[in-house]
């Protein structure tokens, strides 16, 4: 593939011609903010936070969707760009609950990170706010519509596993747009398999791992990445520890074709956590407390082993 050379913020870089500007900037350690961009997902250029100024162009361009060109000159932090980002952040904060002190996502929320970076704050207003539509039906995922910024990353990652998943979608229009499961079902009544792919890509606190709620904050956790051993994909998880006690397991983003699944997550929990929460299975559209053997699909194997061992005694 042909390479092209461009300049970003005064620095020259040579990259393959299929790179986007945001990818080229990353090679230079230039952090262009983005809420909907993920290199593992389809590009939608929806959040507009990655806007940059390109010499010769009369409008700001989205760096996630803009392909590099030979001789291109890009500026990622001009006054015009910063003003646009501040306007976007202010609109998002105006519709967002001011509960960062207690939000489980605090410390790793991108909306929080960029608001701090560009000095944008919550403000009082009498305009509309996103309604608080909570989905507490799942023991694995907590959904808070009021925190959703409609980046669509959850929808795109869910749709990557064809047939089995494809559960999340956009519903309604305009300011009433929201993320729904199947035909506006809950996690419990939909065909969601609790793989947590959506949780791993959510940039804010709209989708969080319910088994971690209230247990540990991001900045106080010691993290160790391990690979799931249930199947050949080897999905990655983080074991979260505090004061040498292993408190939780959470899935990492499903890169390189790794699908993530509940069986892998629960098995990793069982093997690595000191006191894992009780497992649940979805049976007939209801989450039901389960034994670990049934939850990770080992009950038949254990019964057979027990039968063989009893016969041999």
């Amino acid at each position: 593939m042909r390479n092209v050379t461009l300049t970003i913020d005064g620095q020259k870089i040579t990259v393959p011609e299929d790179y986007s500007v945001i990818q080229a900037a990353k090679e230079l350690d230039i952090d262009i903010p983005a809420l909907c961009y993920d290199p593992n997902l389809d590009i939608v250029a929806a959040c507009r936070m990655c806007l940059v100024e390109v010499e010769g162009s009369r409008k700001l361009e989205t760096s996630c969707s803009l392909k590099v060109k030979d001789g291109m000159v890009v500026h990622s932090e001009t006054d015009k760009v910063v003003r646009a980002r501040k306007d976007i952040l202010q609109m998002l904060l105006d519709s967002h609950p001011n509960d960062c002190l207690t939000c489980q996502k605090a410390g790793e929320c991108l909306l929080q990170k960029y608001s701090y970076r560009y000095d944008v704050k919550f403000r009082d207003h009498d305009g509309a706010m996103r309604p608080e539509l909570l989905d507490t039906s799942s023991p694995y995922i907590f959904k808070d519509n009021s925190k959703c910024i409609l980046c669509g990353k959850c929808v795109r990652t869910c749709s990557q596993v064809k047939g089995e998943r494809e559960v999340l979608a956009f519903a309604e229009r305009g300011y009433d747009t929201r993320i729904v499961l199947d035909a506006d079902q809950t996690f419990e009544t939909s065909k969601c398999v609790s793989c947590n792919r959506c949780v791993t890509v959510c940039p804010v606190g709209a989708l969080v791992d319910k088994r971690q709620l209230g247990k540990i904050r991001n900045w106080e956790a010691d993290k160790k990445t391990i690979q799931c051993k249930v199947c050949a994909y080897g999905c990655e998880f983080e074991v979260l520890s505090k004061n040498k006690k292993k408190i939780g397991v959470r899935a990492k983003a499903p890169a390189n074709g790794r699908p993530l699944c509940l069986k892998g997550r629960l098995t990793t929990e069982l093997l690595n956590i000191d006191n894992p929460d009780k497992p649940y299975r979805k049976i007939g559209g209801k989450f039901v407390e389960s034994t670990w053997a049934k939850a990770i699909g080992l009950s038949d194997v254990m019964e057979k082993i027990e039968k063989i061992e009893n016969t041999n005694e």
Side-chain angles (χ1 to χ4, degrees):
M1 182 176 295
R2 193 172 72 91
N3 286 336
V4 300
T5 299
L6 69 158
T7 303
I8 306 176
D9 294 347
Q11 301 181 67
K12 283 196 173 183
I13 179 79
T14 299
V15 294
E17 63 180 348
D18 66 340
Y19 264 42
S20 62
V21 170
I22 199 170
Q23 287 177 298
K26 188 176 180 183
E27 298 284 320
L28 290 168
D29 289 329
I30 295 173
D31 178 23
I32 296 179
L35 292 167
C36 71
Y37 170 72
D38 186 318
N40 298 303
L41 301 175
D42 292 338
I43 302 299
V44 293
C47 74
R48 320 297 289 178
M49 277 297 293
C50 69
L51 288 169
V52 293
E53 210 164 351
V54 180
E55 291 189 7
S57 175
R58 289 185 296 177
K59 63 175 185 176
L60 297 178
E61 306 274 3
T62 50
S63 60
C64 66
S65 62
L66 182 65
K67 293 298 182 186
V68 294
K69 291 180 182 176
D70 243 339
M72 178 184 274
V73 179
V74 179
H75 303 282
S76 73
E77 288 281 336
T78 64
D79 290 344
K80 187 176 180 181
V81 167
V82 170
R83 280 198 304 273
R85 288 179 187 155
K86 283 187 169 184
D87 288 344
I88 293 166
L89 289 168
Q90 191 64 69
M91 285 191 291
L92 291 173
L93 285 188
D94 284 350
S95 291
H96 200 85
N98 183 359
D99 70 344
C100 297
L101 289 176
T102 54
C103 180
Q104 185 69 26
K105 195 76 174 184
E108 49 188 354
C109 169
L110 289 184
L111 182 58
Q112 183 186 53
K113 174 184 174 181
Y114 297 144
S115 296
Y116 182 84
R117 174 171 165 178
Y118 292 106
D119 193 28
V120 180
K121 297 179 173 60
F122 288 104
R123 62 183 181 182
D124 293 330
H125 65 85
D126 57 3
M129 295 279 289
R130 293 186 63 77
E132 188 183 70
L133 301 173
L134 305 179
D135 185 346
T136 62
S137 65
S138 168
Y140 300 109
I141 302 172
F142 178 80
K143 179 169 174 276
D144 184 346
N145 180 70
S146 67
K147 295 181 182 177
C148 180
I149 58 172
L150 298 174
C151 67
K153 289 167 80 171
C154 57
V155 175
R156 282 176 280 154
T157 195
C158 190
S159 68
Q160 283 183 331
V161 185
K162 302 297 181 187
E164 180 189 353
R165 308 199 189 169
E166 297 180 284
V167 179
L168 293 170
F170 288 99
E172 306 293 351
R173 302 179 67 182
Y175 197 74
D176 295 326
T177 303
R178 57 196 172 91
I179 304 298
V180 297
L181 296 92
D182 289 337
D184 206 4
Q185 301 293 304
T186 65
F187 282 112
E188 186 171 54
T189 58
S190 71
K191 66 176 188 291
C192 171
V193 296
S194 307
C195 67
N196 271 40
R197 289 174 69 92
C198 55
V199 172
T200 66
V201 298
C202 181
V204 293
L207 290 160
V208 296
D209 188 330
K210 196 170 178 182
R211 286 166 86 84
Q212 309 305 323
L213 276 177
K215 288 184 178 176
I216 194 166
R217 308 308 298 268
N218 175 58
W219 55 83
E220 61 186 9
D222 295 320
K223 300 168 188 170
K224 180 183 179 182
T225 298
I226 59 172
Q227 282 192 313
C228 175
K229 298 177 180 176
V230 167
C231 74
Y233 281 110
C235 297
E236 292 184 333
F237 290 84
E238 278 184 337
V239 178
L240 308 178
S241 304
K242 182 181 178 183
N243 298 329
K244 297 183 179 179
K245 184 178 180 181
K246 295 174 181 174
I247 293 173
V249 161
R250 66 177 184 180
K252 296 191 72 173
N256 302 321
R258 292 171 177 143
L260 292 178
C261 70
L262 181 58
K263 180 179 179 180
R265 183 252 172 79
L266 289 177
T267 302
T268 307
E269 261 192 40
L270 182 62
L271 294 175
N272 292 279
I273 300 306
D274 295 330
N275 293 298
D277 290 341
K278 294 173 182 174
Y280 288 80
R281 291 188 298 150
K282 192 189 286 188
I283 301 174
K286 292 283 184 182
F287 281 108
V288 179
E289 189 178 318
S290 172
T291 63
W292 279 100
K294 288 182 178 178
I296 61 178
L298 286 180
S299 55
D300 291 343
V301 175
M302 292 177 69
E303 285 177 14
K304 186 66 178 286
I305 292 173
E306 187 177 358
K307 183 178 179 182
I308 292 171
E309 291 179 344
N310 289 338
T311 303
N312 293 336
E313 284 179 355

